[in-house]
């Protein structure tokens, strides 16, 4: 069985982008028919990992490992998926921190409240004057 897992692993690495959705569709169809099909579970988990959908891959690979707990290949790939998820979260956190530190919003401008009131009065006076002229 480990040899078959190795073959699936090699095949998944050669999948082209346009084939991913089709493969996942057929995996889901097969799993509806036989939810304990270990090869389909493993294939789906590997494809999800390949696409960096680590949390989904972890769920599927855990199901596969529950069916074949002695599989070192599935355990290894589950560990890789968990590491990928951790790395993905770290990367997202770093991007958020970097975006926050690169924030180029203008600094807060200090304006006197007297100036604000004065400009509001001038603006309202202009509106009132134009309203009188148009009447």
């Amino acid at each position: 069985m480990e040899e078959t897992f190795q073959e699936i692993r090699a095949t998944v690495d050669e999948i082209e982008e346009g084939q991913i959705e089709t493969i996942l569709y057929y995996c889901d169809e097969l799993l509806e028919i036989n939810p304990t099909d270990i090869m389909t579970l493993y294939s789906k988990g590997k494809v999800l990992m390949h696409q960096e959908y680590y949390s989904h891959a972890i769920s599927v690979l855990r199901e596969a490992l529950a069916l074949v707990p002695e599989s070192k290949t599935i355990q290894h790939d589950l560990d890789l998926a968990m590491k990928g998820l951790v790395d993905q979260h770290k990367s997202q956190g770093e991007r958020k921190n970097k975006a926050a530190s690169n924030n180029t919003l203008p600094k807060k401008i200090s304006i006197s409240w007297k100036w604000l009131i004065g400009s509001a009065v001038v603006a309202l006076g202009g509106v009132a004057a134009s309203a009188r002229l148009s009447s």
Side-chain angles (χ1 to χ4, degrees), residues 3-135:
E3 291 174 9
T4 307
F5 292 141
Q6 296 299 330
E7 289 172 14
I8 291 170
R9 180 185 279 176
T11 303
V12 167
D13 290 338
E14 296 175 12
I15 293 174
E16 295 177 14
E17 285 299 314
Q19 299 171 326
I20 299 293
E21 294 301 319
T22 304
I23 292 169
L24 289 174
Y25 171 79
Y26 284 115
C27 284
D28 288 339
E29 290 294 313
L30 289 169
L31 290 171
E32 274 189 39
I33 296 167
N34 183 4
T36 59
D37 182 358
I38 186 66
M39 295 305 163
T40 304
L41 282 169
Y42 180 70
S43 298
K44 182 178 179 180
K46 282 299 292 179
V47 169
L48 290 168
M49 264 182 63
H50 184 72
Q51 288 299 107
E52 297 181 358
Y53 296 136
Y54 296 116
S55 58
H56 296 301
I58 289 167
S59 168
V60 172
L61 290 171
R62 279 185 177 154
E63 286 181 55
L65 191 60
L67 296 171
V68 188
E70 70 277 0
S71 174
K72 292 179 183 177
T73 303
I74 296 174
Q75 182 61 57
H76 175 73
D77 287 332
L78 180 58
D79 292 344
L80 288 176
M82 289 181 179
K83 182 183 180 317
L85 183 62
V86 169
D87 291 346
Q88 195 175 55
H89 284 294
K90 283 182 184 177
S91 173
Q92 289 172 350
E94 288 171 4
R95 278 192 297 239
K96 285 180 185 176
N97 290 340
K98 191 173 186 178
S101 67
N102 288 340
N103 193 351
T104 57
L105 292 175
K107 293 185 179 183
K108 191 174 181 180
I109 299 172
S110 173
I111 299 176
S112 165
W113 64 273
K114 291 177 186 176
W115 187 87
L116 283 174
I117 291 175
S119 61
V121 169
V122 170
L124 288 173
V127 170
S130 66
R132 283 189 192 150
L133 292 176
S134 65
S135 299

